């Protein structure tokens, strides 16, 4: 029997650290971006991604209007711009000129050139959990990256430097050391 | 105009690195655990979390049966056990003795004592995206941690050492340096 004392703790959102994304949408015909961490891959074939964003976000208006959005993974070098987009609502400031914006096949999902990885997504499902947030599930129609961030055609975290956000201490973090390979290091496991 | 060449890349799930969790469920009355990274907070008040897991997982049977699951955040020290749970299906091996298991209020959501952070969750919505995966949205009914992992009552990533998984290179990673504070570092942003 392992000796440890488990305490019941406040069951808040700060328990789960997550990577940071800039979500893009056209609102009233202009590119807008919001900073969120509640983004998750949900399907592999075809690739799908979910985002959860409070319905009060200005960006949500654009997603609802066009049924498209983009997911842009900023690098650690973009931490100030990323936080700026989280601190300032599109209701108050015009974010359409903050970045070099490009569009893909979907035409209404603005993507950020400076962000190393971009995905343009088409909404296939909107889930209202009736507590304030909307979950948008999107088909990842296309993804983009510069060649310098790729290894064997796939974005390489050692090259594109994504950020992780922990709500507990409200800080952005870098990736650290590589610990081990999946589907492999588990072979060493021995139950003590 | 920034000079850069965006390449269209394969739009796969490997684009988005995510923290690793061990998801627990009772299947046929026995604790079982699966390793997944597709976990996301989706609501703050009340706290809710979503997981996306292929319906072929043995653990899914238990979630469907009891409408409960647990999310356990393993530390980097548990990398071998975590990967082992991902490499071996509960259909073939009995995982009920791998860890010290405890139960909370929900009675059917087995949690791992050795994992620094645990959440017991009640399913409030199951979404079938009809491509193989099921998304379970759960109310985080209670959360648990040992005192040594907490700062001001909140789990501290510097103390509990969560792991991040990047599907691109199939590796587990540590957290690295802290870059900056959210809702603050954005004040330094200046559009060039």
């Amino acid at each position: 029997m392992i000796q440890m004392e488990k305490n019941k703790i406040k069951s808040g959102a700060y328990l789960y650290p997550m990577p940071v994304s800039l979500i893009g949408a056209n609102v009233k015909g202009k590119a807008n971006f919001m900073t969120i961490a509640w983004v998750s891959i949900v399907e592999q074939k075809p690739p799908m991604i979910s985002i959860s964003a409070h319905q009060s976000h200005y960006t949500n208006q654009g997603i609802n209007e066009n049924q498209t959005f983009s997911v842009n993974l900023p690098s650690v070098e973009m931490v100030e711009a990323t936080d700026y987009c989280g601190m300032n609502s599109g209701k108050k400031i015009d974010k359409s000129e903050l970045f070099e914006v490009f569009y893909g096949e979907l035409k209404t999902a603005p993507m950020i050139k400076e962000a190393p990885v971009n995905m343009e997504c088409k909404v296939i499902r909107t889930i209202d959990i009736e507590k304030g947030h909307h979950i948008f599930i999107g088909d990842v129609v296309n993804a983009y990256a510069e060649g310098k961030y790729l290894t064997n055609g796939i974005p390489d975290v050692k090259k594109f430097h994504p950020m992780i956000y922990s709500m507990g201490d409200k800080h952005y973090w870098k990736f650290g050391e590589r610990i081990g390979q999946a589907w492999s290091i588990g072979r060493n496991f021995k139950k003590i």
Side-chain angles (χ1 to χ4, degrees), chain A residues 117 148-151 154-162 178:
Chain A
V117 179
K148 68 179 180 182
Y149 297 123
L150 307 176
T151 298
I154 291 172
D156 185 332
V157 295
K158 290 188 303 301
K159 295 177 179 173
F160 78 90
H161 305 150
R178 206 158 66 168

Side-chain angles (χ1 to χ4, degrees), chain A residues 160-184:
Chain A
F160 78 90
H161 305 150
M163 274 187 284
I164 315 150
Y165 179 56
S166 86
M167 280 187 74
D169 55 16
K170 296 191 176 58
H171 272 83
Y172 301 104
W173 298 77
K174 285 188 190 179
F175 269 58
E177 279 168 67
R178 206 158 66 168
I179 311 162
Q181 192 167 3
W183 306 95
S184 171

Side-chain angles (χ1 to χ4, degrees), chain A residues 5 15 41 45 83 85 102 106 115-116 120 132 134 188 190:
Chain A
E5 193 57 53
L15 296 173
I41 298 288
K45 282 180 191 172
D83 195 44
C85 282
F102 73 104
L106 293 176
E120 53 171 332
H134 279 174
N188 304 334
K190 295 213 169 37

Side-chain angles (χ1 to χ4, degrees), chain A residues 22-185:
Chain A
L22 284 159
I23 304 299
N26 269 9
V27 189
K28 299 171 189 165
K30 271 190 162 178
N32 192 65
F33 300 96
M34 68 176 164
T35 308
I36 65 172
W38 299 354
V39 177
S40 175
I41 298 288
V42 293
E43 184 60 76
Q44 190 152 16
K45 282 180 191 172
M48 293 183 188
I49 199 160
S50 74
I51 65 170
S52 180
H54 198 278
Q55 53 189 290
S56 64
H57 279 293
Y58 190 64
T59 308
N60 284 40
Q61 296 180 22
I63 301 175
N64 285 322
E65 187 190 328
N66 301 308
Q67 296 292 301
T68 61
F69 63 91
S70 72
V71 178
N72 305 272
L73 276 172
S75 63
V76 296
E77 292 78 13
M78 292 172 66
V79 63
E80 291 177 359
T82 302
D83 195 44
Y84 180 86
C85 282
M87 291 172 77
N88 296 285
S89 171
K91 288 172 195 159
K92 294 193 178 160
I93 63 158
D94 177 1
K95 301 186 201 174
S96 66
E97 304 284 328
L98 292 181
F99 307 104
E100 294 256 5
V101 172
F102 73 104
Y103 291 86
E105 187 181 331
L106 293 176
K107 309 290 183 204
T108 51
M111 290 177 278
I112 298 171
K113 257 197 167 175
E114 297 92 319
V117 179
N118 317 97
M119 297 172 241
E120 53 171 332
C121 307
K122 189 173 163 53
V123 175
I124 61 144
R125 202 82 70 90
T126 301
I127 298 141
D128 183 353
I129 40 179
E130 293 163 19
K131 302 292 178 190
H133 282 66
H134 279 174
I135 301 173
F136 298 103
I137 299 176
D139 254 326
V140 183
V141 174
N142 285 302
Y144 305 85
E146 282 183 84
K148 68 179 180 182
Y149 297 123
L150 307 176
T151 298
N152 301 325
I154 291 172
D156 185 332
V157 295
K158 290 188 303 301
K159 295 177 179 173
F160 78 90
H161 305 150
M163 274 187 284
I164 315 150
Y165 179 56
S166 86
M167 280 187 74
D169 55 16
K170 296 191 176 58
H171 272 83
Y172 301 104
W173 298 77
K174 285 188 190 179
F175 269 58
E177 279 168 67
R178 206 158 66 168
I179 311 162
Q181 192 167 3
W183 306 95
S184 171
I185 196 169

